[in-house]
Amino acid sequence: MISREPTIERLAIAKRLLLTPFGLDETHLWRALAEIKAHQVNEADLYFQYTRSEGWSLEEGIVKTGSFSIDQGVGVRAVSGEKTAFAYSDDISDASLLDAARTVRTISSASRAGRVKTSTQKIAPSRSLYKDLDPIASLGSADKVKLLEKVEQAARAKDPRVAQVMAGLASEYDVVLVARADGTLAADVRPLVRLSVTVIAEQKGRREMGSAGGGGRFGLAYFDDACIAGYVDEAVNAALTNLESRPAPAGEMTVVLGSGWPGILLHEAIGHGLEGDFNRKGSSAFTGRVGQRVAAKGVTVLDDGTLAQRRGSLNVDDEGNPSQRNVLIEDGILKGYIQDAMNARLMGVKPTGNGRRESYAHTPMPRMTNTYMLAGDKAPEEIVASIKKGLYATNFGGGQVDITSGKFVFSASQAFWVENGKILYPVKGATLVGNGPDALTRVSMIGNDMKLDSGVGTCGKEGQSVPVGVGQPTLRIDGLTVGGTA
């Protein structure tokens, strides 16, 4: 058997699913784009998508819900200056393509030809970060049920205080095809899986919860016995720890953030403020600060869509540009923003491979992929031991951020009170309150234990959700406000 280069193979899969069944070929795509270019536009593209998804959930030892869906369609976009015209349809046909093209081209005048330069057709360069597999087909239905039952049994066997177990398994097979008015054709085949477990433990009438899970761009075989045991241990231990928690103190204090998932605070409080659209509009706390110090020395923050098999990674973004490793802050100095095509053009820079959309029914915008801080040189034990009185937060739940001011509020789902370098007891109800840019300047110690999250992140922006990754080493932040319950 002769195998094809991965970029060509992905393009063949996309054509087979998104063009051939509907009597379309590339000629129809270029004709629709030519209709748009009859008017004056800066950019135009077609975004085809085929998504098949499946979900299973178990509660009280019973698989209570199961879902399966197929969605497909095409989005047609024209951009003129700062204006975007967009139409979409779940009817993939030559007629609907032409109708949508004629609709969106009205965004601009027909007085003269568009400024989009058409060149010879070219296949966009892309990466090969994950396999072109269908994760739904990587495990039979009976085995999926057994997998969830194994999670439940393992959690209940862990401790008699475990009163309830909920487990979920989700798989998605996503195929996209992008045709741009400049002659570029790009495709991606994106597998995505996630296993989650939530445990409720009860002791003396008190009930507390712990959760864990993970996933990425691979098949369901990833969730082997060792992986399941790790998730179960984490969830059960979190629930049992919370059973012993006391009300959290309040006030301004030293806060140490654990490695891995606590990077969600970095994502929300810092990452969104570095997205190009907010900075072009002047609504970010980081606007106009490229080249300036925005963080303590040693703080280096990246957004990297090129990490193999990671939840937030992409071979190409949703505008057909290859993903990149973008250094946003280097040793405390702001280096740049993450960009889609429109905001990059308007700001006079190049796209960074961060044009993302939830589906064919949405327009792209600058979005994060895997956002994380690089490691420092301190042992995490040394950082915790440096706390005279303060909080050690190892896991987070929800939070809110104001992009313009940078102010954030985050709830710690697992945290510990520390005095004289010793962890004394777990606390409940701790809320971190601060300002993202200001908090970066208060970082005083950076651990050598940088870790990415397990693959559970989903980012929301302007009503659109996309999978993302976060990460960081253990961090000490001085003078952070903690809202508590004590």
Side-chain angles (χ1 to χ4, degrees):
M1 181 179 177
I2 300 175
S3 61
R4 288 184 283 195
E5 194 274 331
T7 300
I8 303 300
E9 181 61 31
R10 288 193 289 268
L11 191 56
I13 292 171
K15 289 178 181 178
R16 187 168 68 246
L17 285 172
L18 290 162
L19 299 184
T20 303
F22 309 102
L24 300 178
D25 58 28
E26 292 169 38
T27 303
H28 297 92
L29 311 189
W30 306 130
R31 186 169 68 173
L33 288 165
E35 285 286 339
I36 301 174
K37 293 190 297 175
H39 286 202
Q40 182 175 318
V41 296
N42 294 104
E43 301 156 25
D45 59 26
L46 312 176
Y47 182 85
F48 295 83
Q49 184 177 32
Y50 170 92
T51 304
R52 189 164 68 247
S53 56
E54 180 186 79
W56 300 80
S57 65
L58 177 145
E59 188 175 349
E60 298 174 351
I62 303 169
V63 175
K64 290 197 169 182
T65 60
S67 63
F68 181 82
S69 65
I70 297 177
D71 192 18
Q72 59 191 24
V74 58
V76 180
R77 180 178 64 141
V79 181
S80 179
E82 297 184 19
K83 299 183 296 181
T84 297
F86 181 71
Y88 69 91
S89 174
D90 59 4
D91 172 26
I92 301 177
S93 67
D94 187 37
S96 67
L97 271 181
L98 291 174
D99 283 346
R102 290 164 183 150
T103 299
V104 301
R105 74 180 185 179
T106 58
I107 193 173
S108 191
S109 169
S111 60
R112 56 195 175 100
R115 283 179 281 175
V116 176
K117 294 181 180 180
T118 303
S119 58
T120 305
Q121 178 189 328
K122 58 191 178 213
I123 297 173
S126 67
R127 305 188 182 277
S128 295
L129 305 173
Y130 35 84
K131 295 181 179 179
D132 303 335
L133 59 85
D134 176 1
I136 297 174
S138 65
L139 199 64
S141 296
D143 290 326
K144 292 169 186 172
V145 173
K146 288 179 181 177
L147 190 155
L148 292 176
E149 291 174 340
K150 185 181 294 185
V151 170
E152 201 235 8
Q153 291 161 7
R156 289 193 179 277
K158 191 77 180 170
D159 194 281
R161 289 171 288 179
V162 173
Q164 191 173 354
V165 180
M166 292 154 282
L169 185 66
S171 308
E172 182 177 280
Y173 178 63
D174 190 36
V175 180
V176 301
L177 176 67
V178 183
R180 297 204 307 248
D182 64 358
T184 299
L185 203 60
D188 202 1
V189 179
R190 301 167 178 168
L192 189 63
V193 297
R194 176 176 171 176
L195 175 63
S196 59
V197 54
T198 299
V199 169
I200 296 176
E202 185 171 5
Q203 178 178 266
K204 298 178 181 178
R206 179 177 179 178
R207 294 167 67 90
E208 295 290 349
M209 184 175 70
S211 298
R217 298 197 180 279
F218 34 68
L220 294 170
Y222 176 84
F223 302 120
D224 59 16
D225 289 349
C227 180
I228 291 171
Y231 294 159
V232 167
D233 285 350
E234 184 180 347
V236 173
N237 289 340
L240 298 180
T241 298
N242 287 335
L243 281 175
E244 307 298 329
S245 62
R246 306 180 193 179
E252 186 176 291
M253 64 186 70
T254 298
V255 175
V256 170
L257 306 179
S259 62
W261 178 248
I264 188 64
L265 193 149
L266 179 75
H267 167 104
E268 295 287 1
I270 310 300
H272 279 297
L274 297 178
E275 291 171 335
D277 48 354
F278 295 125
N279 288 280
R280 178 178 64 82
K281 297 170 184 176
S283 59
S284 167
F286 292 100
T287 298
R289 301 189 65 187
V290 172
Q292 298 180 17
R293 176 165 297 282
V294 296
K297 287 186 67 64
V299 173
T300 296
V301 179
L302 284 74
D303 184 86
D304 189 352
T306 71
L307 302 175
Q309 298 186 317
R310 297 297 305 180
R311 180 175 170 85
S313 295
L314 301 167
N315 288 320
V316 293
D317 72 4
D318 294 327
E319 296 181 301
N321 293 309
S323 55
Q324 295 183 28
R325 181 181 187 271
N326 299 297
V327 178
L328 305 178
I329 299 172
E330 186 173 26
D331 199 20
I333 305 299
L334 181 60
K335 293 296 184 179
Y337 310 116
I338 59 176
Q339 303 284 5
D340 64 352
M342 183 185 80
N343 285 282
R345 172 176 54 80
L346 293 170
M347 295 181 75
V349 296
K350 293 181 179 180
T352 60
N354 290 89
R356 305 190 65 185
R357 55 181 113 195
E358 181 178 323
S359 76
Y360 67 87
H362 300 83
T363 56
M365 64 181 88
R367 304 294 300 272
M368 286 173 275
T369 56
N370 304 296
T371 310
Y372 56 95
M373 184 186 296
L374 295 186
D377 60 357
K378 304 297 183 185
E381 298 81 9
E382 179 186 354
I383 297 176
V384 174
S386 73
I387 304 173
K388 185 174 182 181
K389 277 191 177 182
L391 196 73
Y392 176 36
T394 57
N395 207 351
F396 283 92
Q400 293 181 328
V401 180
D402 182 283
I403 302 298
T404 302
S405 66
K407 292 180 180 178
F408 63 80
V409 179
F410 268 87
S411 299
S413 58
Q414 186 174 68
F416 302 86
W417 182 247
V418 181
E419 290 187 16
N420 298 318
K422 303 294 183 182
I423 296 175
L424 298 185
Y425 51 83
V427 297
K428 184 178 182 180
T431 302
L432 304 189
V433 182
N435 176 285
D438 177 65
L440 280 183
T441 66
R442 296 173 179 267
V443 174
S444 59
M445 298 178 79
I446 304 174
N448 58 12
D449 59 339
M450 199 292 285
K451 184 173 70 174
L452 297 170
D453 77 290
S454 59
V456 296
T458 298
C459 173
K461 177 181 175 182
E462 296 182 21
Q464 293 192 42
S465 296
V466 296
V468 296
V470 301
Q472 67 173 39
T474 298
L475 296 177
R476 172 175 161 149
I477 304 177
D478 295 327
L480 202 59
T481 299
V482 176
T485 50

